[in-house]
Amino acid sequence: MCGRGQELLDRGRQHGPLHRRNRKTRRVAERRLDDSSLLLHGRCIPDDLTLTDYLRHTVRDTWELPSPPGPLLGPLPGTFARTAFLPDAEAWTPPALVPPRLTGHERRIALETGIGLDGLRLLSPPPERPYLGDGSWEALFAELGTRLPGEYVRLMDEYGAGIWGGWLRFHTPLRTGERRFLTHVEDTVDGYRQLKDGDAAWYPLAVWPEPGGFLPFANSIDGDYLGWLTQSGDPDTWPLIVWPRHAHQGPPLDGGLIDTLLDWQRGTLVTRGFAALDADDDPVEFAGFEPWDDRAYW
């Protein structure tokens, strides 16, 4: 049996369906590997053949001297035709090289030395025309019965509603009508309250408008929620907290909203409920902000 066939068979014995079959079925599988067209008198086609050498194997119908290694696979007709699945196939042209989005100096600022909105703008440029909705901050504050943190207002005025890093969705704050900010908040806290009634230990947060309650303003595509703990009458002191979908509830976050976004997009924020980059991911490649308009659900 050739090395590749033996390796696959060994893996199947250890991990695959063959491990769960009886000996008779295993013997049949072994015999099928031995009888495959890739084997002839115990010889295997090498896996380092060029395309030309491989095609030669497929069309020759007699032994040659000196003989190429491996068995006869032919005779197959020595012709070719264009596949019906690629009627317009043509020679591949490599795409033009795309220059880096940031220079080396800009990259250091974006990933290391930049702070606050200045660093965030470089890493995730804001849209030319942010979309916040057709209402006003004053009307939203009146409907909620409280104003919201000034840092959040500044961020939304700069970026508007949209999705960060293709993952974190910020609700449209000033939209009026059925899909307004308060509607999303109430839907989220009502759901949390129902879950809390079933298992208070797993859902320990109070929910807005209770004192110190959780007031969400963003969510992830995976069902995690980001919001504030409304612990005082001064919204600028409200700590951020994540309600993670697939983990135990963690403590409030240490930083403010803009620093939290900046650290997360840099790949340096590690906390429950926030997606993390892999070790070989480039933060600049994954960072970004995609703005929405009124068609967006959130």
Side-chain angles (χ1 to χ4, degrees), residues 35-286:
D35 293 342
S36 72
S37 61
L38 294 178
L39 297 171
L40 185 67
H41 305 302
R43 300 178 64 190
C44 296
I45 291 180
D47 57 8
D48 58 351
L49 291 180
T50 65
L51 175 61
T52 302
D53 290 337
Y54 178 79
L55 292 176
R56 185 180 178 190
H57 273 289
T58 65
V59 300
R60 68 191 177 109
D61 57 3
T62 59
W63 291 104
E64 305 170 8
L65 291 177
S67 175
L72 296 174
L73 297 181
L76 297 177
T79 60
F80 74 94
R82 186 178 298 277
T83 173
F85 298 102
L86 294 174
D88 300 322
E90 58 185 16
W92 178 70
T93 301
L97 293 178
V98 178
R101 179 167 67 87
L102 301 177
T103 66
H105 176 67
E106 291 173 333
R107 185 180 176 88
R108 284 191 295 274
I109 296 175
L111 296 180
E112 300 174 19
T113 62
I115 59 174
L117 271 177
D118 291 337
L120 193 61
R121 289 189 193 102
L122 192 56
L123 191 57
S124 301
E128 293 183 4
R129 300 180 61 183
Y131 174 73
L132 288 83
D134 55 347
S136 66
W137 287 113
E138 291 73 17
L140 175 63
F141 298 163
E143 184 173 39
L144 294 175
T146 179
R147 66 181 181 90
L148 298 178
E151 186 180 30
Y152 169 77
V153 174
R154 292 192 299 273
L155 178 72
M156 299 307 293
D157 283 340
E158 181 87 14
Y159 284 88
I163 184 167
W164 293 83
W167 185 80
L168 185 59
R169 305 177 294 206
F170 273 57
H171 303 164
T172 304
L174 307 184
R175 178 191 281 152
T176 59
E178 183 180 357
R179 291 176 292 127
R180 63 191 188 279
F181 185 88
L182 180 61
T183 300
H184 296 307
V185 170
E186 290 177 338
D187 288 346
T188 302
V189 298
D190 286 348
Y192 191 95
R193 189 177 291 108
Q194 293 177 29
L195 294 170
K196 183 181 178 72
D197 290 342
D199 190 347
W202 187 264
Y203 302 96
L205 302 179
V207 292
W208 182 85
E210 299 170 14
F214 176 60
L215 174 56
F217 61 86
N219 61 37
S220 78
I221 62 174
D222 294 321
D224 311 280
Y225 286 84
L226 176 65
W228 302 282
L229 292 181
T230 55
Q231 293 178 343
S232 71
D234 182 3
D236 291 330
T237 65
W238 292 348
L240 287 173
I241 195 166
V242 179
W243 168 24
R245 180 180 179 185
H246 298 295
H248 289 282
Q249 180 62 57
L253 304 181
D254 292 331
L257 178 57
I258 293 174
D259 287 342
T260 295
L261 278 175
L262 184 57
D263 290 344
W264 173 61
Q265 297 231 301
R266 284 173 169 172
T268 59
L269 177 69
V270 179
T271 190
R272 299 170 186 175
F274 263 79
L277 298 178
D278 294 330
D280 57 349
D281 287 338
D282 180 3
V284 174
E285 179 183 349
F286 286 87

Side-chain angles (χ1 to χ4, degrees), residues 18-30:
L18 291 179
H19 181 69
R20 298 186 293 272
R21 298 177 180 173
N22 57 35
R23 293 182 178 179
K24 179 179 178 180
T25 306
R26 186 175 301 159
R27 287 196 297 271
V28 171
E30 292 174 352

